[in-house]
Amino acid sequence: QKEVEQNSGPLSVPEGAIASLNCTYSDRGSQSFFWYRQYSGKSPELIMSIYSNGDKEDGRFTAQLNKASQYVSLLIRDSQPSDSATYLCAVNMEYGNKLVFGAGTILRVKS
Amino acid sequence: DTEVTQTPKHLVMGMTNKKSLKCEQHMGHRAMYWYKQKAKKPPELMFVYSYEKLSINESVPSRFSPECPNSSLLNLHLHALQPEDSALYLCASSHKTVSGYTFGSGTRLTVV
């Protein structure tokens, strides 16, 4: 079982729609969860962090965490073509105190 | 200053060369990291420095040698690399190891 799993996509959504990205993780002791956005040829950019169960909203982005189900998600409302990128879920693993990335989900927003 | 600065941005080196990658941050972060990213793959952790001491080495070959001269600087010394080591090398820093990481723009390394 991979430590952090994501559907690689691509996930295609029309402009203005809600994009929903999902991630599961294996380490039940993990406490810190992050979403990074990476444009082709660029480095990852932190867009959301979440530490407790529930929802966290920042502008058009909402991160959701369910530790019992070991599940993290990212919702992007009013998706724009500029949101087209790879979204990386990252989990800080308690046992190694290190950040492990999922394989990433490619998001394509069509205008 | 909220940036992590990496130099050089691009590097081409032969298999017998010795080169170094540099990383600098002035955010007062006490944890710094090296990641390696191949095309269409996620970043893979190589090394973690916490308070200038190496705390994690992810079984990286000895041809990669990290160094943390002070709390703001992180180097990665390269020697006798192989073509399969060609990748984007990312430096990151964080306030604590449980915090979100800030990544530099990376060094794109090509080994010929």
Side-chain angles (χ1 to χ4, degrees), chain A residues 37-58:
Chain A
R37 176 176 63 197
Q38 187 171 27
Y39 293 111
S40 181
K42 302 295 185 181
S43 63
E45 174 193 8
L46 180 64
I47 54 173
M48 289 292 287
S49 59
I50 188 165
Y51 302 93
S52 54
N53 282 330
D55 295 0
K56 178 181 177 183
E57 185 175 319
D58 184 1

Side-chain angles (χ1 to χ4, degrees), chain B residues 2-89:
Chain B
T2 59
E3 288 188 343
V4 175
T5 303
Q6 288 188 246
T7 56
K9 294 196 181 306
H10 300 275
L11 178 63
V12 179
M13 61 184 290
M15 290 188 286
T16 59
N17 291 158
K18 288 185 180 180
K19 296 287 184 183
S20 297
L21 308 185
K22 296 188 176 183
C23 175
E24 189 169 4
Q25 58 87 15
H26 296 287
M27 294 178 280
H29 289 172
R30 302 313 298 267
M32 297 185 75
Y33 314 85
W34 282 114
Y35 277 81
K36 173 183 177 179
Q37 188 174 26
K38 303 280 275 185
K40 300 188 187 303
K41 297 291 186 182
E44 292 182 3
L45 182 66
M46 299 175 73
F47 302 104
V48 178
Y49 273 84
S50 180
Y51 289 86
E52 296 135 60
K53 299 225 181 296
L54 182 66
S55 62
I56 295 178
N57 176 340
E58 291 287 281
S59 301
V60 178
S62 60
R63 58 185 184 270
F64 296 91
S65 176
E67 178 195 21
C68 189
N70 60 56
S71 61
S72 300
L73 293 174
L74 187 65
N75 298 322
L76 186 63
H77 303 296
L78 314 173
H79 173 56
L81 295 193
Q82 303 298 308
E84 58 265 30
D85 296 321
S86 299
L88 180 66
Y89 287 84

Side-chain angles (χ1 to χ4, degrees), chain A residues 92-107:
Chain A
N92 196 289
M93 297 292 171
E94 181 189 43
Y95 60 80
N97 209 14
K98 60 183 183 181
L99 198 62
V100 176
F101 287 85
T105 298
I106 298 170
L107 174 66

Side-chain angles (χ1 to χ4, degrees), chain A residues 29-83:
Chain A
S30 298
Q31 298 294 324
S32 310
F33 308 87
F34 308 93
W35 284 98
Y36 285 82
R37 176 176 63 197
Q38 187 171 27
Y39 293 111
S40 181
K42 302 295 185 181
S43 63
E45 174 193 8
L46 180 64
I47 54 173
M48 289 292 287
S49 59
I50 188 165
Y51 302 93
S52 54
N53 282 330
D55 295 0
K56 178 181 177 183
E57 185 175 319
D58 184 1
R60 295 187 296 113
F61 299 101
T62 298
Q64 299 174 315
L65 173 61
N66 183 326
K67 290 185 180 179
S69 301
Q70 295 174 241
Y71 177 88
V72 192
S73 66
L74 179 71
L75 300 178
I76 306 175
R77 289 181 300 281
D78 188 25
S79 296
Q80 301 297 309
S82 58
D83 294 326

